[in-house]
Amino acid sequence: MSYPTPWQGKPLQGPGGPPMLASHADRERAVDVLRAGYGEGRLDHPEFEKRVTRAYQARTVADLAVLVADLPQGPMPQTMAAVGPVPRTFLPAPQPKTNGKAIASMVCGILCVATGGLTGLPAVILGHLAQSEIRRTGEGGDGFALTGLVLGWLSVAGWVFFAVLIGLVAVLAGSPG
């Protein structure tokens, strides 16, 4: 049995006078409501096409109201119970814990400047320990460990260069000339 839909009838007349003419914006709003209804599966494609055609041909606001009368006029609120939990696939991947030795290596490497290079050797040792733990456990902080290693090795190289320079000066100053 086929039921007549309200939008297939004649244009509605306002109670007390002629109906108000529809503007282009009124037509576009009605078509937006129809698109939303089609997107939500409330209208099949042939009915959607018929209503859109009729919306663009509508002369009055009442004609448009009839076209969207059986559709929600905005987004339908959905509760989390209706939607359900977000599948794990779509959740962001959990960030791994940062290795503590990697952080300590970077701090020691940065402190090389303030301590005159005294924290360079601990930065190198902690950096190598951190990198091996990171490979073994999958923790984060590889960049921190690398920063500590680079700064630590620069500090150690600076101390070695300074020691060689002092030794060279001592040898040259002690040689009879």
Side-chain angles (χ1 to χ4, degrees), residues 64-103:
L64 295 173
V66 170
L67 293 174
V68 297
D70 58 344
L71 297 173
Q73 301 296 311
M76 295 300 292
Q78 295 181 349
T79 62
M80 281 306 288
V83 174
V86 176
R88 247 183 129 147
T89 308
F90 300 111
L91 293 175
Q95 295 297 319
K97 186 182 113 189
T98 303
N99 185 286
K101 288 181 180 138
I103 295 171

PDB file of all heavy atoms in Angstrom, residues 64-103:
ATOM      1  N   LEU A  64       8.390  24.860   0.716  1.00  0.00           N
ATOM      2  CA  LEU A  64       9.644  24.283   1.223  1.00  0.00           C
ATOM      3  C   LEU A  64       9.412  23.541   2.535  1.00  0.00           C
ATOM      4  O   LEU A  64       9.992  22.480   2.766  1.00  0.00           O
ATOM      5  CB  LEU A  64      10.685  25.385   1.412  1.00  0.00           C
ATOM      6  CG  LEU A  64      11.145  26.082   0.140  1.00  0.00           C
ATOM      7  CD1 LEU A  64      12.041  27.265   0.488  1.00  0.00           C
ATOM      8  CD2 LEU A  64      11.882  25.109  -0.777  1.00  0.00           C
ATOM      9  N   ALA A  65       8.562  24.098   3.394  1.00  0.00           N
ATOM     10  CA  ALA A  65       8.290  23.462   4.683  1.00  0.00           C
ATOM     11  C   ALA A  65       7.684  22.090   4.502  1.00  0.00           C
ATOM     12  O   ALA A  65       7.980  21.156   5.243  1.00  0.00           O
ATOM     13  CB  ALA A  65       7.371  24.359   5.515  1.00  0.00           C
ATOM     14  N   VAL A  66       6.829  21.949   3.497  1.00  0.00           N
ATOM     15  CA  VAL A  66       6.211  20.654   3.232  1.00  0.00           C
ATOM     16  C   VAL A  66       7.264  19.631   2.793  1.00  0.00           C
ATOM     17  O   VAL A  66       7.191  18.465   3.157  1.00  0.00           O
ATOM     18  CB  VAL A  66       5.104  20.815   2.161  1.00  0.00           C
ATOM     19  CG1 VAL A  66       4.597  19.476   1.675  1.00  0.00           C
ATOM     20  CG2 VAL A  66       3.956  21.634   2.718  1.00  0.00           C
ATOM     21  N   LEU A  67       8.266  20.078   2.042  1.00  0.00           N
ATOM     22  CA  LEU A  67       9.298  19.160   1.534  1.00  0.00           C
ATOM     23  C   LEU A  67      10.167  18.576   2.641  1.00  0.00           C
ATOM     24  O   LEU A  67      10.688  17.472   2.505  1.00  0.00           O
ATOM     25  CB  LEU A  67      10.195  19.876   0.522  1.00  0.00           C
ATOM     26  CG  LEU A  67       9.540  20.294  -0.783  1.00  0.00           C
ATOM     27  CD1 LEU A  67      10.514  21.115  -1.613  1.00  0.00           C
ATOM     28  CD2 LEU A  67       9.073  19.078  -1.545  1.00  0.00           C
ATOM     29  N   VAL A  68      10.340  19.334   3.730  1.00  0.00           N
ATOM     30  CA  VAL A  68      11.239  18.882   4.798  1.00  0.00           C
ATOM     31  C   VAL A  68      10.489  18.571   6.088  1.00  0.00           C
ATOM     32  O   VAL A  68      11.122  18.316   7.120  1.00  0.00           O
ATOM     33  CB  VAL A  68      12.344  19.933   5.065  1.00  0.00           C
ATOM     34  CG1 VAL A  68      13.215  20.120   3.844  1.00  0.00           C
ATOM     35  CG2 VAL A  68      11.753  21.244   5.520  1.00  0.00           C
ATOM     36  N   ALA A  69       9.171  18.559   6.053  1.00  0.00           N
ATOM     37  CA  ALA A  69       8.375  18.375   7.267  1.00  0.00           C
ATOM     38  C   ALA A  69       8.634  17.023   7.935  1.00  0.00           C
ATOM     39  O   ALA A  69       8.580  16.929   9.166  1.00  0.00           O
ATOM     40  CB  ALA A  69       6.886  18.518   6.950  1.00  0.00           C
ATOM     41  N   ASP A  70       8.923  15.969   7.192  1.00  0.00           N
ATOM     42  CA  ASP A  70       9.122  14.647   7.782  1.00  0.00           C
ATOM     43  C   ASP A  70      10.600  14.339   8.049  1.00  0.00           C
ATOM     44  O   ASP A  70      10.959  13.200   8.325  1.00  0.00           O
ATOM     45  CB  ASP A  70       8.509  13.571   6.891  1.00  0.00           C
ATOM     46  CG  ASP A  70       9.076  13.570   5.481  1.00  0.00           C
ATOM     47  OD1 ASP A  70       9.721  14.570   5.092  1.00  0.00           O
ATOM     48  OD2 ASP A  70       8.875  12.576   4.771  1.00  0.00           O
ATOM     49  N   LEU A  71      11.463  15.382   8.000  1.00  0.00           N
ATOM     50  CA  LEU A  71      12.900  15.202   8.253  1.00  0.00           C
ATOM     51  C   LEU A  71      13.327  16.043   9.444  1.00  0.00           C
ATOM     52  O   LEU A  71      12.767  17.117   9.687  1.00  0.00           O
ATOM     53  CB  LEU A  71      13.714  15.634   7.024  1.00  0.00           C
ATOM     54  CG  LEU A  71      13.488  14.835   5.754  1.00  0.00           C
ATOM     55  CD1 LEU A  71      14.221  15.499   4.598  1.00  0.00           C
ATOM     56  CD2 LEU A  71      13.963  13.413   5.936  1.00  0.00           C
ATOM     57  N   PRO A  72      14.344  15.591  10.179  1.00  0.00           N
ATOM     58  CA  PRO A  72      14.866  16.440  11.258  1.00  0.00           C
ATOM     59  C   PRO A  72      15.485  17.704  10.667  1.00  0.00           C
ATOM     60  O   PRO A  72      16.094  17.666   9.604  1.00  0.00           O
ATOM     61  CB  PRO A  72      15.938  15.583  11.923  1.00  0.00           C
ATOM     62  CG  PRO A  72      15.981  14.290  11.211  1.00  0.00           C
ATOM     63  CD  PRO A  72      15.014  14.319  10.082  1.00  0.00           C
ATOM     64  N   GLN A  73      15.341  18.812  11.354  1.00  0.00           N
ATOM     65  CA  GLN A  73      15.809  20.090  10.828  1.00  0.00           C
ATOM     66  C   GLN A  73      17.256  20.401  11.198  1.00  0.00           C
ATOM     67  O   GLN A  73      17.727  21.496  10.999  1.00  0.00           O
ATOM     68  CB  GLN A  73      14.903  21.216  11.328  1.00  0.00           C
ATOM     69  CG  GLN A  73      13.461  21.038  10.930  1.00  0.00           C
ATOM     70  CD  GLN A  73      13.250  21.076   9.424  1.00  0.00           C
ATOM     71  OE1 GLN A  73      13.729  21.977   8.757  1.00  0.00           O
ATOM     72  NE2 GLN A  73      12.551  20.096   8.889  1.00  0.00           N
ATOM     73  N   GLY A  74      17.946  19.468  11.732  1.00  0.00           N
ATOM     74  CA  GLY A  74      19.348  19.654  12.094  1.00  0.00           C
ATOM     75  C   GLY A  74      19.947  18.315  12.455  1.00  0.00           C
ATOM     76  O   GLY A  74      19.295  17.277  12.367  1.00  0.00           O
ATOM     77  N   PRO A  75      21.193  18.313  12.876  1.00  0.00           N
ATOM     78  CA  PRO A  75      21.821  17.043  13.225  1.00  0.00           C
ATOM     79  C   PRO A  75      21.145  16.420  14.438  1.00  0.00           C
ATOM     80  O   PRO A  75      20.772  17.113  15.377  1.00  0.00           O
ATOM     81  CB  PRO A  75      23.270  17.428  13.532  1.00  0.00           C
ATOM     82  CG  PRO A  75      23.269  18.893  13.720  1.00  0.00           C
ATOM     83  CD  PRO A  75      22.079  19.444  13.021  1.00  0.00           C
ATOM     84  N   MET A  76      20.963  15.135  14.392  1.00  0.00           N
ATOM     85  CA  MET A  76      20.334  14.416  15.486  1.00  0.00           C
ATOM     86  C   MET A  76      21.369  14.166  16.577  1.00  0.00           C
ATOM     87  O   MET A  76      22.450  13.667  16.298  1.00  0.00           O
ATOM     88  CB  MET A  76      19.785  13.064  14.996  1.00  0.00           C
ATOM     89  CG  MET A  76      18.667  13.205  13.978  1.00  0.00           C
ATOM     90  SD  MET A  76      17.254  14.100  14.611  1.00  0.00           S
ATOM     91  CE  MET A  76      16.661  12.948  15.792  1.00  0.00           C
ATOM     92  N   PRO A  77      21.063  14.525  17.820  1.00  0.00           N
ATOM     93  CA  PRO A  77      22.018  14.272  18.902  1.00  0.00           C
ATOM     94  C   PRO A  77      22.173  12.769  19.119  1.00  0.00           C
ATOM     95  O   PRO A  77      21.197  12.034  19.085  1.00  0.00           O
ATOM     96  CB  PRO A  77      21.385  14.954  20.107  1.00  0.00           C
ATOM     97  CG  PRO A  77      19.942  15.048  19.792  1.00  0.00           C
ATOM     98  CD  PRO A  77      19.841  15.134  18.295  1.00  0.00           C
ATOM     99  N   GLN A  78      23.401  12.347  19.314  1.00  0.00           N
ATOM    100  CA  GLN A  78      23.665  10.928  19.548  1.00  0.00           C
ATOM    101  C   GLN A  78      24.384  10.798  20.877  1.00  0.00           C
ATOM    102  O   GLN A  78      25.335  11.520  21.153  1.00  0.00           O
ATOM    103  CB  GLN A  78      24.528  10.339  18.439  1.00  0.00           C
ATOM    104  CG  GLN A  78      23.847  10.335  17.105  1.00  0.00           C
ATOM    105  CD  GLN A  78      24.710   9.714  16.026  1.00  0.00           C
ATOM    106  OE1 GLN A  78      25.880   9.463  16.231  1.00  0.00           O
ATOM    107  NE2 GLN A  78      24.119   9.471  14.887  1.00  0.00           N
ATOM    108  N   THR A  79      23.919   9.865  21.675  1.00  0.00           N
ATOM    109  CA  THR A  79      24.580   9.616  22.949  1.00  0.00           C
ATOM    110  C   THR A  79      25.734   8.651  22.722  1.00  0.00           C
ATOM    111  O   THR A  79      25.767   7.925  21.737  1.00  0.00           O
ATOM    112  CB  THR A  79      23.591   9.012  23.957  1.00  0.00           C
ATOM    113  OG1 THR A  79      23.147   7.759  23.440  1.00  0.00           O
ATOM    114  CG2 THR A  79      22.403   9.936  24.187  1.00  0.00           C
ATOM    115  N   MET A  80      26.673   8.644  23.641  1.00  0.00           N
ATOM    116  CA  MET A  80      27.813   7.724  23.518  1.00  0.00           C
ATOM    117  C   MET A  80      27.346   6.275  23.586  1.00  0.00           C
ATOM    118  O   MET A  80      27.953   5.397  23.006  1.00  0.00           O
ATOM    119  CB  MET A  80      28.850   7.986  24.616  1.00  0.00           C
ATOM    120  CG  MET A  80      29.727   9.181  24.326  1.00  0.00           C
ATOM    121  SD  MET A  80      30.538   9.100  22.714  1.00  0.00           S
ATOM    122  CE  MET A  80      31.747   7.834  23.009  1.00  0.00           C
ATOM    123  N   ALA A  81      26.239   6.017  24.304  1.00  0.00           N
ATOM    124  CA  ALA A  81      25.737   4.655  24.374  1.00  0.00           C
ATOM    125  C   ALA A  81      25.279   4.193  23.000  1.00  0.00           C
ATOM    126  O   ALA A  81      25.458   3.041  22.629  1.00  0.00           O
ATOM    127  CB  ALA A  81      24.591   4.572  25.370  1.00  0.00           C
ATOM    128  N   ALA A  82      24.703   5.110  22.222  1.00  0.00           N
ATOM    129  CA  ALA A  82      24.242   4.746  20.887  1.00  0.00           C
ATOM    130  C   ALA A  82      25.420   4.574  19.932  1.00  0.00           C
ATOM    131  O   ALA A  82      25.397   3.737  19.053  1.00  0.00           O
ATOM    132  CB  ALA A  82      23.293   5.804  20.347  1.00  0.00           C
ATOM    133  N   VAL A  83      26.435   5.379  20.119  1.00  0.00           N
ATOM    134  CA  VAL A  83      27.586   5.314  19.220  1.00  0.00           C
ATOM    135  C   VAL A  83      28.502   4.169  19.602  1.00  0.00           C
ATOM    136  O   VAL A  83      29.014   3.455  18.764  1.00  0.00           O
ATOM    137  CB  VAL A  83      28.358   6.660  19.249  1.00  0.00           C
ATOM    138  CG1 VAL A  83      29.626   6.577  18.436  1.00  0.00           C
ATOM    139  CG2 VAL A  83      27.476   7.769  18.745  1.00  0.00           C
ATOM    140  N   GLY A  84      28.725   3.977  20.888  1.00  0.00           N
ATOM    141  CA  GLY A  84      29.603   2.922  21.356  1.00  0.00           C
ATOM    142  C   GLY A  84      31.032   3.419  21.477  1.00  0.00           C
ATOM    143  O   GLY A  84      31.358   4.537  21.087  1.00  0.00           O
ATOM    144  N   PRO A  85      31.882   2.581  22.032  1.00  0.00           N
ATOM    145  CA  PRO A  85      33.277   2.994  22.203  1.00  0.00           C
ATOM    146  C   PRO A  85      34.002   3.059  20.857  1.00  0.00           C
ATOM    147  O   PRO A  85      33.632   2.378  19.913  1.00  0.00           O
ATOM    148  CB  PRO A  85      33.862   1.898  23.098  1.00  0.00           C
ATOM    149  CG  PRO A  85      33.000   0.702  22.844  1.00  0.00           C
ATOM    150  CD  PRO A  85      31.621   1.244  22.540  1.00  0.00           C
ATOM    151  N   VAL A  86      35.031   3.889  20.819  1.00  0.00           N
ATOM    152  CA  VAL A  86      35.823   4.030  19.607  1.00  0.00           C
ATOM    153  C   VAL A  86      36.694   2.776  19.447  1.00  0.00           C
ATOM    154  O   VAL A  86      37.368   2.371  20.395  1.00  0.00           O
ATOM    155  CB  VAL A  86      36.714   5.290  19.687  1.00  0.00           C
ATOM    156  CG1 VAL A  86      37.613   5.405  18.486  1.00  0.00           C
ATOM    157  CG2 VAL A  86      35.851   6.518  19.827  1.00  0.00           C
ATOM    158  N   PRO A  87      36.689   2.144  18.270  1.00  0.00           N
ATOM    159  CA  PRO A  87      37.525   0.958  18.079  1.00  0.00           C
ATOM    160  C   PRO A  87      39.004   1.301  18.259  1.00  0.00           C
ATOM    161  O   PRO A  87      39.448   2.404  17.958  1.00  0.00           O
ATOM    162  CB  PRO A  87      37.244   0.535  16.632  1.00  0.00           C
ATOM    163  CG  PRO A  87      35.976   1.203  16.270  1.00  0.00           C
ATOM    164  CD  PRO A  87      35.879   2.440  17.099  1.00  0.00           C
ATOM    165  N   ARG A  88      39.766   0.353  18.758  1.00  0.00           N
ATOM    166  CA  ARG A  88      41.192   0.560  19.023  1.00  0.00           C
ATOM    167  C   ARG A  88      41.956   1.006  17.797  1.00  0.00           C
ATOM    168  O   ARG A  88      42.932   1.740  17.885  1.00  0.00           O
ATOM    169  CB  ARG A  88      41.794  -0.761  19.495  1.00  0.00           C
ATOM    170  CG  ARG A  88      42.244  -0.745  20.883  1.00  0.00           C
ATOM    171  CD  ARG A  88      42.864  -2.058  21.190  1.00  0.00           C
ATOM    172  NE  ARG A  88      44.158  -1.807  21.772  1.00  0.00           N
ATOM    173  CZ  ARG A  88      44.682  -2.562  22.662  1.00  0.00           C
ATOM    174  NH1 ARG A  88      44.057  -3.637  23.054  1.00  0.00           N
ATOM    175  NH2 ARG A  88      45.849  -2.269  23.162  1.00  0.00           N
ATOM    176  N   THR A  89      41.507   0.565  16.629  1.00  0.00           N
ATOM    177  CA  THR A  89      42.186   0.910  15.387  1.00  0.00           C
ATOM    178  C   THR A  89      42.238   2.412  15.174  1.00  0.00           C
ATOM    179  O   THR A  89      43.210   2.922  14.633  1.00  0.00           O
ATOM    180  CB  THR A  89      41.439   0.269  14.203  1.00  0.00           C
ATOM    181  OG1 THR A  89      41.280  -1.109  14.463  1.00  0.00           O
ATOM    182  CG2 THR A  89      42.160   0.468  12.906  1.00  0.00           C
ATOM    183  N   PHE A  90      41.205   3.122  15.617  1.00  0.00           N
ATOM    184  CA  PHE A  90      41.110   4.548  15.363  1.00  0.00           C
ATOM    185  C   PHE A  90      41.651   5.413  16.504  1.00  0.00           C
ATOM    186  O   PHE A  90      41.670   6.624  16.401  1.00  0.00           O
ATOM    187  CB  PHE A  90      39.661   4.937  15.072  1.00  0.00           C
ATOM    188  CG  PHE A  90      39.118   4.230  13.865  1.00  0.00           C
ATOM    189  CD1 PHE A  90      38.146   3.269  13.983  1.00  0.00           C
ATOM    190  CD2 PHE A  90      39.616   4.514  12.606  1.00  0.00           C
ATOM    191  CE1 PHE A  90      37.660   2.609  12.869  1.00  0.00           C
ATOM    192  CE2 PHE A  90      39.138   3.861  11.489  1.00  0.00           C
ATOM    193  CZ  PHE A  90      38.165   2.902  11.629  1.00  0.00           C
ATOM    194  N   LEU A  91      42.068   4.801  17.579  1.00  0.00           N
ATOM    195  CA  LEU A  91      42.653   5.550  18.684  1.00  0.00           C
ATOM    196  C   LEU A  91      44.118   5.847  18.380  1.00  0.00           C
ATOM    197  O   LEU A  91      44.785   5.070  17.696  1.00  0.00           O
ATOM    198  CB  LEU A  91      42.552   4.751  19.988  1.00  0.00           C
ATOM    199  CG  LEU A  91      41.146   4.539  20.526  1.00  0.00           C
ATOM    200  CD1 LEU A  91      41.188   3.631  21.752  1.00  0.00           C
ATOM    201  CD2 LEU A  91      40.511   5.861  20.881  1.00  0.00           C
ATOM    202  N   PRO A  92      44.646   6.953  18.887  1.00  0.00           N
ATOM    203  CA  PRO A  92      46.068   7.227  18.659  1.00  0.00           C
ATOM    204  C   PRO A  92      46.918   6.174  19.358  1.00  0.00           C
ATOM    205  O   PRO A  92      46.559   5.667  20.411  1.00  0.00           O
ATOM    206  CB  PRO A  92      46.278   8.618  19.261  1.00  0.00           C
ATOM    207  CG  PRO A  92      45.127   8.839  20.176  1.00  0.00           C
ATOM    208  CD  PRO A  92      43.991   7.999  19.657  1.00  0.00           C
ATOM    209  N   ALA A  93      48.046   5.863  18.733  1.00  0.00           N
ATOM    210  CA  ALA A  93      48.947   4.879  19.316  1.00  0.00           C
ATOM    211  C   ALA A  93      49.530   5.436  20.610  1.00  0.00           C
ATOM    212  O   ALA A  93      49.917   6.598  20.673  1.00  0.00           O
ATOM    213  CB  ALA A  93      50.066   4.547  18.339  1.00  0.00           C
ATOM    214  N   PRO A  94      49.589   4.616  21.663  1.00  0.00           N
ATOM    215  CA  PRO A  94      50.157   5.109  22.912  1.00  0.00           C
ATOM    216  C   PRO A  94      51.646   5.401  22.736  1.00  0.00           C
ATOM    217  O   PRO A  94      52.365   4.657  22.081  1.00  0.00           O
ATOM    218  CB  PRO A  94      49.922   3.970  23.899  1.00  0.00           C
ATOM    219  CG  PRO A  94      49.716   2.753  23.066  1.00  0.00           C
ATOM    220  CD  PRO A  94      49.176   3.231  21.743  1.00  0.00           C
ATOM    221  N   GLN A  95      52.085   6.508  23.328  1.00  0.00           N
ATOM    222  CA  GLN A  95      53.486   6.886  23.232  1.00  0.00           C
ATOM    223  C   GLN A  95      54.291   6.055  24.228  1.00  0.00           C
ATOM    224  O   GLN A  95      53.884   5.891  25.375  1.00  0.00           O
ATOM    225  CB  GLN A  95      53.654   8.380  23.541  1.00  0.00           C
ATOM    226  CG  GLN A  95      52.982   9.281  22.536  1.00  0.00           C
ATOM    227  CD  GLN A  95      53.584   9.139  21.152  1.00  0.00           C
ATOM    228  OE1 GLN A  95      54.784   9.035  20.996  1.00  0.00           O
ATOM    229  NE2 GLN A  95      52.737   9.098  20.147  1.00  0.00           N
ATOM    230  N   PRO A  96      55.443   5.528  23.796  1.00  0.00           N
ATOM    231  CA  PRO A  96      56.248   4.739  24.727  1.00  0.00           C
ATOM    232  C   PRO A  96      56.866   5.623  25.805  1.00  0.00           C
ATOM    233  O   PRO A  96      57.075   6.822  25.604  1.00  0.00           O
ATOM    234  CB  PRO A  96      57.335   4.127  23.832  1.00  0.00           C
ATOM    235  CG  PRO A  96      57.420   5.035  22.658  1.00  0.00           C
ATOM    236  CD  PRO A  96      56.044   5.598  22.477  1.00  0.00           C
ATOM    237  N   LYS A  97      57.144   5.017  26.955  1.00  0.00           N
ATOM    238  CA  LYS A  97      57.761   5.736  28.069  1.00  0.00           C
ATOM    239  C   LYS A  97      59.166   6.165  27.657  1.00  0.00           C
ATOM    240  O   LYS A  97      59.875   5.434  26.974  1.00  0.00           O
ATOM    241  CB  LYS A  97      57.821   4.797  29.272  1.00  0.00           C
ATOM    242  CG  LYS A  97      58.306   5.431  30.541  1.00  0.00           C
ATOM    243  CD  LYS A  97      58.370   4.393  31.637  1.00  0.00           C
ATOM    244  CE  LYS A  97      59.830   4.259  31.934  1.00  0.00           C
ATOM    245  NZ  LYS A  97      60.320   3.283  32.759  1.00  0.00           N
ATOM    246  N   THR A  98      59.580   7.353  28.072  1.00  0.00           N
ATOM    247  CA  THR A  98      60.913   7.859  27.746  1.00  0.00           C
ATOM    248  C   THR A  98      61.926   7.274  28.725  1.00  0.00           C
ATOM    249  O   THR A  98      61.699   7.283  29.938  1.00  0.00           O
ATOM    250  CB  THR A  98      60.944   9.396  27.819  1.00  0.00           C
ATOM    251  OG1 THR A  98      59.944   9.902  26.932  1.00  0.00           O
ATOM    252  CG2 THR A  98      62.291   9.939  27.395  1.00  0.00           C
ATOM    253  N   ASN A  99      63.006   6.783  28.193  1.00  0.00           N
ATOM    254  CA  ASN A  99      64.063   6.179  28.994  1.00  0.00           C
ATOM    255  C   ASN A  99      64.711   7.243  29.885  1.00  0.00           C
ATOM    256  O   ASN A  99      65.118   8.301  29.412  1.00  0.00           O
ATOM    257  CB  ASN A  99      65.097   5.546  28.058  1.00  0.00           C
ATOM    258  CG  ASN A  99      66.163   4.797  28.806  1.00  0.00           C
ATOM    259  OD1 ASN A  99      67.034   5.407  29.409  1.00  0.00           O
ATOM    260  ND2 ASN A  99      66.078   3.481  28.766  1.00  0.00           N
ATOM    261  N   GLY A 100      64.826   6.935  31.178  1.00  0.00           N
ATOM    262  CA  GLY A 100      65.390   7.883  32.136  1.00  0.00           C
ATOM    263  C   GLY A 100      66.869   8.152  31.900  1.00  0.00           C
ATOM    264  O   GLY A 100      67.354   9.278  32.098  1.00  0.00           O
ATOM    265  N   LYS A 101      67.606   7.135  31.484  1.00  0.00           N
ATOM    266  CA  LYS A 101      69.046   7.331  31.229  1.00  0.00           C
ATOM    267  C   LYS A 101      69.261   8.235  30.020  1.00  0.00           C
ATOM    268  O   LYS A 101      70.243   8.973  29.958  1.00  0.00           O
ATOM    269  CB  LYS A 101      69.731   5.985  31.030  1.00  0.00           C
ATOM    270  CG  LYS A 101      69.851   5.204  32.316  1.00  0.00           C
ATOM    271  CD  LYS A 101      70.558   3.887  32.105  1.00  0.00           C
ATOM    272  CE  LYS A 101      70.635   3.180  33.440  1.00  0.00           C
ATOM    273  NZ  LYS A 101      70.360   1.785  33.341  1.00  0.00           N
ATOM    274  N   ALA A 102      68.339   8.195  29.062  1.00  0.00           N
ATOM    275  CA  ALA A 102      68.448   9.069  27.898  1.00  0.00           C
ATOM    276  C   ALA A 102      68.274  10.526  28.315  1.00  0.00           C
ATOM    277  O   ALA A 102      69.017  11.399  27.861  1.00  0.00           O
ATOM    278  CB  ALA A 102      67.410   8.683  26.849  1.00  0.00           C
ATOM    279  N   ILE A 103      67.317  10.758  29.204  1.00  0.00           N
ATOM    280  CA  ILE A 103      67.108  12.121  29.701  1.00  0.00           C
ATOM    281  C   ILE A 103      68.337  12.582  30.478  1.00  0.00           C
ATOM    282  O   ILE A 103      68.821  13.707  30.299  1.00  0.00           O
ATOM    283  CB  ILE A 103      65.840  12.198  30.573  1.00  0.00           C
ATOM    284  CG1 ILE A 103      64.603  11.910  29.721  1.00  0.00           C
ATOM    285  CG2 ILE A 103      65.717  13.555  31.251  1.00  0.00           C
ATOM    286  CD1 ILE A 103      63.328  11.746  30.514  1.00  0.00           C
TER     287      ILE A 103
END
